[in-house]
Each structure stands twice: as structure tokens, then as C-alpha cells.
Amino acid sequence: MRTIIAAAAVLVLALLPLAAPWLQFVLTLAIAKGFAALGVAVLLRAGLISIGHAMFFAASAYAVAFLARAGINDLGLLLILSVLSGALVGAIAGSFLVRYRAIFFAMLNLAVSMVFYALCAKLYGVTGGTDGMPVPVPAVFGIVLGEPAFASVLFYLSLVLMVLVGLAVQRYLNSPLGHALSAVHTNEIRLEYLGIPVWAVLLIAYVVSAALAGLGGAIASFAIGRVVPDFAFWTASGHLVLIAVLGGIGGVPGAFIGALFLELLHSAAVTVTDSWNLIVGMTLIIVIMFMPQGVYGLFARKEATGL
Amino acid sequence: MLNAIIPLLLDSLASAALIFFAAVGLTLVFSVLRVLNVAHGSLYSIGGYVAASICLFIASRQLNPYLSFLALLFSAVCVAAIFGPLIERGLVRWTYGKSEAVQILITFGLFLILEDLQRVIFGVQSFYEDAPMRLLGTTSIGGVVYLNYQILLIAMALLVVVGLRLLINHTRLGRLITAVVTDREMAQSIGIDTNRIFILAFSLGVFLAALGGALATPTSGIAPGLGADTMVLAFAVAAIGGLGQIEGAALASLIVGLARVLAIYLAPSLDAVAPYAAMLIVLLIRPYGLFGSVTARRI
């Protein structure tokens, strides 16, 4: 039953741009942010809140820009290499960050991401400073496409990736390695007594989550055509946590539902007012306060664990 | 050499004073309410906007310019009186005992609302009103001309450190706060009105943030985005000092101020990196901050 609903939802997403072409960009961006929020959600399973995941989003996006500048012009190759860069940055940062818990984990992620942000914004000669870096339209299997055609290819590729990567992440979360994450949240010491190395469990989760954020960043950089330091600013990270929680845990789809909800809300709000954050902030508070089922799975056991 | 060190030190102290104002309220609120208020930076910038508006009003009516000093204080009191109880009762109280993710998200929602409200009310142009700074003039220290206003900032920050210490150690309210911080349930069971303590502590935190914003306007002006920048800087300082440690926040402000000024002197392009790099280094060596500890938390 669930599979049928999910398949129908994907089908509707695939058909939407045919009915309303302007939605295509919005949906591509929503899927990109959904990947990043999924990364945040993976860590949330272990009770770890990262206010810094926009860094991996930005790191991959910058990797795309640098690789493109170096002359690599193939979409597939760029995607793979940039996601690997995101994962690599994640492995480096994660290797020391997974020692921390609770508020200190959140803050250290924030610190690392702000160092990254400040470097991107200040090293004008390398990254173009706040002007950012352009991301040219890449070739797809050697075929150079026009911008509208490429946008369509990117959207449907993102959609396919959403399904494939989503299934893979679902499998990961249902594997012993994934269940160990919830165990870290519930009772970390018990896990250690069982002989399971907590740091390894968390480091793997951290690299997976960084790679997911990186995939989102790479897709976003192609969709937007430019990378700017603001990709890595802490408020962007805050939005990712927001998306992860808004969607509720509902397994993997939650992150994408949250991202879709926020991007559509954004598109609707900007037509009314520039102050769309006002609307987003109020929605967020209302959802968390009055619709606890939206965040049910995440926080159902919070009383017992005390994070 | 000495000629270079003195202005460097004074600059760092003044810079540290402003950072301290932003961080100490956050620290106080965290230690009493156990809530990390992500909207703290917005309250700092609101304090700045209100102060600048009143100062500009004073200037436009050609009232006594010394009134602008009062305006700085007055705006902080106003912001604290309005926003303190409102936010604590309306929003933050609801998150007590909930997970940190909920607390961070609720206050992040508040941050988004407050940031856009400022944009709606005060527009996107920057505010600049330097009357209080000009009135105080300059002093020459070691052959270097120095703004008296910056010395005032340092004095005010010292006043806050001493004042908070006196409040906590030597007043009845301070003892009540300490009791609540040490053991919330025990405090409640012996009849301390924790709700009132929470409102007071939160409002005091808002006051310190708004005061910081108000005091910052004459030197640096105020513009959209300041709230977000201040927030993350206050985070860094609070974390370096050890969450919930007032003296820790003071020392951390000094470290960050010094790091920033050194960066400006030595590698100007890296000034924005310095505070976070300092935070990273400190937290890697001492995971719970300079004064922090895992088990016992005091203020």
C-alpha cells in the first residue's frame, strides 16, 4: 500500500512540470534540499542535531564549480566527484565531531561550517568571494544541451536519484548499522557494552549524511548555475534541520515532503510578500506546537532518553 | 613596538566588550532556563534599531544631545520589558523539558519571524547615529588617539560582569536563581516560584542583548543581517567560555576580541574566520569550553 502511494506521488511529481513548467525549477531545488535534509535526518536518528550541514551542501557545490573550471564537463562525472568531495569533507570533519553529543555537537558543527563559510566569502582570489563561482551547463553523455533541455534532464535525473538513493538510505536505516543509530540515542553505554564501536557507527552515519547533503548541493549548483558562500551560512543549515523535522520522520520520504512543503510555501509566500521568512517561521512554530504527529517519530522517545 | 601593542589591546578590549554583551545574555538564559535561544541575536539588533530610532528622533528635534545616552539605556529596558515576558510566556515556556531539537527549532522559527519583522518595520537601509560617540570625544593614550566611547564600552562590560556576580551571589533573587539552576525540582518543592524566576532571567537576558545592540549602534551602525551574525558570534563566545559560565563568557569575549583584532592587523581577509577558528581550537582541546564541565553546572 505504502509503495503504491509513494509510486503515485513520484509519478505526480514527474508529471507536474508538464502542467506547470515554472514548477520544474522549484521541484528540482526541493529535491536537492530534500537530500540535504535527509542527511540531517540520518544524524537526528542518533539524537545528533547538526547546525552545520549546509557546509557539505556548499562544499559539493563548490567542488562542481572548481571541477568545471578545471575543464571537467560531464554531468555524471561532476556529480560523482562532487559527492565524493562532500563525503571526504564529511569524513574529515566527522572524524573529530562524532566525539561530541547534544548541544556541543550542534555548536561544533556550527563552528566548523562558519569557518568554511567565512573562508569561502573572504578568499576572493580562489572562490570569487561573495560573488561566488559560476557553474556552466555540463554535457550529458557527451551531448551538449541547451539550458531549458538541461533543466528538464536535471529534474528527471534528480527524481530518479531521489527514488534510488531514497531506497538505499531506507535499507541503510533498516540495517543493523542504522538501528545502532537509534540505540546511540536511547542508550549509548549499553551499545558499548555490547562491543559495538559507537564512534564507527556515528562516523559512517556522518559520512553518509555529508554525502547526501553533498548530492543535494551538487544538484542545486546545476539548477541555479552559480555557487555563493550563502549556501553554507548557518541559517541555511537551520533551514535544513527545519525541513528534516517539518516532514516528520515518516522514514525517508519525510525529508522530501518537508523540502517540497517548504519550497512550495516559499514560492507561494514570495508572491504575497518579500517577508517570506515571517510566514515560514510562523508555520514552523505552528507545526511543531500543534501538529506533534508531524514530528512524532523523531521525538516519541525523548522523555526516556533525555538526549 | 609598544605603539602598536597599546591600540591593539584597546581595540581588542572594546571589540570584546561588545561581543560580551551579545554572549552574556545567551549564557544567562541558557544556565537558568536550559534553553539555547537562537533568536538572541535578533533581540540584540532590535535593541540597536530602537536605540538608533530614538537617537535620530532626539537629533531631529534638536533636544539635548546628552539625552541620547539615556536613550541607549531606555531602549534596552523597553525591548526587555516588551519582548522578555512575551517570548518566555508565549513560546519558550512551551519547550521546557522538550528535546533540544524542538528548542532550537522553535527559537529558530522565532528568529526568522523577528528578522523579517525588523525588515518590515525598519526597512533594509542601515541606521547610523553617532551622537553619543562624538559627544565623548577622544583621548590620547601612549601617543595614539583613542575614542572615549570605546572606553565607556569596556567600563560598561566590566560593570555587567561585576553586577551579575553581585546579583547572583549577594541578593535574594540571586540565591533563588542559583537554587533553580542547581536543582529545579527541589527549588519548586520548597516553594520557589520558578515561573517568575524564568521570566525574570529571560527578560534580563533580553535586556543585556538589547543593551549590547544599543551600545553598538553609535560605533558600527545597524543593518539587516546583524542579528544572524551576532547570534553565531554569541554562540561561539558562549561555547568557548563553557555554556552557562558568566566569567567564562567574559574571558571568551576577550579571546575572540583579541583573535579578531589580531586577524585584522595581520591578515585582514581572515577577520571573519578568527572567532570560529578560536572556538574550534578551544573546543577541540576542552570539549566543554574553558570553564565548563560535564557534571556540575553553576553560573
Side-chain angles (χ1 to χ4, degrees), chain B:
Chain B
M1 189 59 198
L2 197 67
N3 281 2
I5 287 175
I6 288 173
L8 193 139
L9 277 179
L10 283 172
D11 274 354
S12 331
L13 278 174
S15 160
L18 280 180
I19 301 170
F20 175 70
F21 279 111
V24 72
L26 188 76
T27 294
L28 184 76
V29 169
F30 182 80
S31 62
V32 180
L33 284 70
R34 297 285 156 76
V35 172
L36 196 66
N37 178 17
V38 180
H40 193 75
S42 307
L43 297 162
Y44 178 92
S45 56
I46 289 174
Y49 272 121
V50 174
S53 306
I54 301 177
C55 285
L56 286 171
F57 175 79
I58 291 172
S60 71
R61 289 294 170 90
Q62 294 183 328
L63 301 170
N64 186 342
Y66 282 95
L67 275 178
S68 54
F69 286 104
L70 265 183
L72 299 182
L73 206 62
F74 176 69
S75 64
V77 172
C78 281
V79 172
I82 295 169
F83 285 95
L86 193 70
I87 296 173
E88 202 278 336
R89 296 219 65 150
L91 215 55
V92 176
R93 176 160 299 180
W94 186 83
T95 69
Y96 296 152
K98 297 243 170 21
S99 88
E100 276 148 353
V102 170
Q103 295 179 340
I104 288 179
L105 279 172
I106 286 276
T107 49
F108 182 68
L110 179 66
F111 162 80
L112 294 178
I113 294 172
L114 290 180
E115 285 298 295
D116 263 4
L117 269 185
Q118 290 172 64
R119 231 169 281 243
V120 170
I121 296 171
F122 298 103
V124 290
Q125 80 276 27
S126 54
F127 276 55
Y128 195 65
E129 172 51 40
D130 61 351
M133 195 174 82
R134 276 185 285 110
L135 286 172
L136 282 182
T138 56
T139 309
S140 174
I141 299 175
V144 183
V145 177
Y146 204 71
L147 289 169
N148 286 342
Y149 187 78
Q150 289 189 293
I151 295 165
L152 176 80
L153 285 182
I154 298 167
M156 291 284 285
L158 282 175
L159 203 69
V160 169
V161 178
V162 176
L164 277 179
R165 194 32 75 194
L166 285 177
L167 173 82
I168 287 164
N169 288 353
H170 297 281
T171 65
R172 194 180 130 72
L173 176 64
R175 282 191 198 125
L176 294 180
I177 290 179
T178 315
V180 173
V181 169
T182 317
D183 190 334
R184 190 180 290 189
E185 280 174 18
M186 188 63 79
Q188 257 165 343
S189 63
I190 60 170
I192 295 175
D193 186 355
T194 44
N195 284 340
R196 209 171 59 97
I197 300 286
F198 286 163
I199 292 187
L200 281 174
F202 192 83
S203 303
L204 187 56
V206 175
F207 169 75
L208 290 168
L211 183 64
L215 289 171
T217 7
T219 51
S220 50
I222 189 158
L226 182 71
D229 292 340
T230 308
M231 182 59 234
V232 64
L233 208 57
F235 259 44
V237 170
I240 292 175
L243 273 176
Q245 308 289 327
I246 290 166
E247 280 81 5
L251 183 64
S253 312
L254 277 179
I255 293 175
V256 170
L258 198 64
R260 233 177 162 189
V261 171
L262 271 179
I264 291 171
Y265 275 74
L266 299 174
S269 60
L270 293 181
D271 67 320
V273 186
Y276 312 113
M279 172 180 179
L280 209 61
I281 292 166
V282 171
L283 288 192
L284 286 177
I285 300 167
R286 286 192 59 92
Y288 299 98
L290 292 174
F291 287 29
S293 60
V294 208
T295 46
R297 244 187 284 184
R298 293 178 298 124
I299 50 173

Side-chain angles (χ1 to χ4, degrees), chain A residues 88-165:
Chain A
L88 181 68
V89 178
I92 296 168
S95 63
F96 60 89
L97 288 177
V98 298
R99 289 189 300 157
Y100 299 87
R101 297 290 176 273
I103 212 87
F104 294 95
F105 180 82
M107 290 206 139
L108 260 176
N109 270 285
L110 179 75
V112 177
S113 75
M114 285 309 286
V115 172
F116 182 87
Y117 164 80
L119 285 175
C120 289
K122 290 289 176 170
L123 297 177
Y124 190 85
V126 187
T127 62
T130 45
D131 294 343
M133 294 172 76
V135 174
V137 175
V140 184
F141 296 119
I143 306 162
V144 181
L145 297 166
E147 218 163 295
F150 173 73
S152 293
V153 168
L154 185 66
F155 169 65
Y156 287 104
L157 176 68
S158 312
L159 210 56
V160 171
L161 282 174
M162 180 178 88
V163 175
L164 295 181
V165 174

